[in-house]
Amino acid sequence: LVYTGRYTDWTREAILAEVEKQMKPSRFQHVLRVEACSIALAKKYGASLEACSLAALLHDFAKEHDAKSMKKIVLSQALDSEMTGYGSEIMHGPVGAYHAEKVFGIMDRAILDAIRQHTIGGEVMTLIGKVLFIADYIEPGRTFTGVDEARRLAEISLDEAAYFKIEKTIIHLVKKELPIYPGTIHVYNSWIQRKV
Ligand code: GDP
Ligand code: FE
Ligand code: FE
Ligand code: FE
């Protein structure tokens, strides 16, 4: 996939090199699998391959950044300060979107929102957002119970797969007695209220 320059001046290869510097090798491999999976879903569902590739390559850019620098960005960008109470888990999406704009010059709202929302989903999600949300969940390296059902649903409907992830994530967090970020609940409520 060769980038056209529509979304960023960076080449795909230069982005890969910069992303690789931000994380351990195993996570970089995850990023590459999310990209491959995103491109496959983009082809199936008619999304922009270039936009989905970019969102995937940058989605976990901030995941291993230190909590202090992430908190600084959350506060300076007037993001929901409540997300600082969940380690990197909730912050790395919104902070990743910030870097996508600042470092790579991405201005496309759908790409930035996809990165921002990739962990918890969104009350409203674009096609690109759904592609990344699902690809991150079902890439071939994922082995959790239920991933096969998620992969099956992704063949049928992105919305069904997204709803599945939203529901299973809540169940998983409750079972593990982990605190649930209010935004995670908001997204769940929004999706369940729209479900037929
Ligand atoms: P990754 O960055 O590729 O590992 O994947 P994600 O960005 O999707 O998820 C990061 C982690 O955040 C996962 O383990 C989720 O279960 C977890 N997570 C999602 N929502 C919440 C929440 O509301 N609270 C907490 N504590 N963790 C959450
Ligand atoms: Fe992530
Ligand atoms: Fe990820
Ligand atoms: Fe609220």
Side-chain angles (χ1 to χ4, degrees):
L1 183 60
V2 178
Y3 290 170
T4 59
R6 184 172 300 138
Y7 301 114
T8 176
D9 293 339
W10 291 57
T11 64
R12 182 173 167 280
E13 287 64 36
I15 291 175
L16 285 173
E18 188 59 32
V19 169
E20 192 169 16
K21 286 188 215 163
Q22 312 298 316
M23 56 192 67
K24 53 185 196 266
S26 60
R27 190 176 312 281
F28 183 63
Q29 292 305 312
H30 158 72
V31 166
L32 294 178
R33 290 191 301 267
V34 172
E35 187 204 22
C37 194
S38 290
I39 290 172
L41 289 172
K43 284 181 179 159
K44 181 172 175 63
Y45 289 103
S48 158
L49 306 193
E50 186 172 345
C52 288
S53 162
L54 260 170
L57 291 185
L58 297 178
H59 85 282
D60 278 341
F61 191 84
K63 179 95 179 194
E64 294 179 17
H65 290 181
D66 62 286
K68 226 184 206 162
S69 80
M70 280 203 264
K71 277 184 195 177
K72 231 189 244 175
I73 291 165
V74 167
L75 301 178
S76 75
Q77 297 307 114
L79 301 171
D80 176 17
S81 63
E82 198 160 356
M83 71 173 97
T84 60
Y86 300 80
S88 70
E89 302 297 28
I90 305 298
M91 279 192 285
H92 78 279
V95 172
Y98 170 84
H99 291 300
E101 191 176 342
K102 294 295 161 207
V103 178
F104 301 98
I106 292 170
M107 287 165 55
D108 185 86
R109 187 38 58 195
I111 296 175
L112 297 177
D113 282 347
I115 297 168
R116 183 171 60 77
Q117 298 177 331
H118 85 267
T119 301
I120 72 169
E123 301 187 27
V124 177
M125 296 174 84
T126 64
L127 182 56
I128 292 165
K130 289 172 188 173
V131 164
L132 176 59
F133 190 60
I134 303 312
D136 194 24
Y137 196 57
I138 68 170
E139 59 93 346
R142 300 291 197 196
T143 56
F144 59 87
T145 310
V147 70
D148 291 331
E149 175 67 358
R151 289 180 182 130
R152 189 186 69 78
L153 292 172
E155 291 294 317
I156 304 166
S157 157
L158 278 183
D159 281 335
E160 289 295 329
Y163 180 76
F164 183 85
K165 175 174 173 179
I166 288 163
E167 182 189 309
K168 294 303 169 202
T169 297
I170 297 259
I171 292 171
H172 165 83
L173 293 168
V174 170
K175 278 197 182 143
K176 292 250 165 183
E177 297 184 22
L178 288 166
I180 302 178
Y181 173 60
T184 304
I185 305 273
H186 286 302
V187 171
Y188 170 77
N189 286 343
S190 163
W191 279 73
I192 202 169
Q193 280 160 354
R194 269 184 287 140
K195 207 174 189 234
V196 278

